[in-house]
Amino acid sequence: MNEVIVVGAAILSAVLGGLFLAFSAVVLPALGRTHPGTAHGVMQAINAVAPRSLLMVPLFGSPAACAFVAVEVMRGGAGGGPQLIGAVLGLAAFAVTVLANVPLNRRLDLVPVSDPAAPAAWDQYRRVWGRWNHLRTALALGASVALLW
C-alpha cells in the first residue's frame, strides 16, 4: 500500500480532529458564556464561512484517503488491522459530520436570531451539536493514531 496515502490520511484526520477539538474545548464553551442571540448569530456566520474555507480540504480529503486505505487493506495490500480500523474511524467521523452536525447547522440557520424561539433553539443546538462534535473529535483523532500504528 502507498505509505504516503496512509500518512496523508493520518495527517488529514489529525488536522480535522484538532479543529473539532478546538470547537469542543474553546469555541462552544465561549459561545455558551455569550448572550444567546450573539452566540446564535456567530454560529450562523461560522456555518456560512465554513463550506467555502480551507476546512474542506481535511473534511473531504480525510475520508477520501481513508476509503482508499480501507480498500487497499481489504484487497490484501500492505498494512493491516490498525490501518483498517483507522480508516473506518475516519469514515465514521465524516459520517457523523454529514448525518448529524451539518443537518443541525442547517436547522439552526433556519431560525432568525430575532425569532422569540431563537434562545431555546440555540440552547438545544449547542448541547446536541456539542455531543456529536465530541464524538467526531474522538473518531478523527482515533483514526489518526490507528492509521499510524
Side-chain angles (χ1 to χ4, degrees), residues 47 94-111 125 128-129 132 136:
N47 291 342
F94 182 73
V96 168
T97 299
V98 170
L99 298 174
N101 293 93
V102 170
L104 288 166
N105 291 345
R106 289 187 177 142
R107 203 170 322 146
L108 182 72
D109 290 342
L110 294 174
V111 180
Y125 169 87
V128 175
W129 192 94
W132 285 113
R136 69 183 182 162

Side-chain angles (χ1 to χ4, degrees), residues 10 36 76 91 134:
L91 291 167
H134 299 332

Side-chain angles (χ1 to χ4, degrees), residues 13 20 23 25 49 52 60 71 80 84 88-89 92 96-97 104 109 120 130:
S13 294
F20 295 158
F23 259 86
V49 169
R52 293 176 259 311
F60 288 102
V71 168
L84 182 58
V88 169
L89 291 174
V96 168
T97 299
L104 288 166
D109 290 342

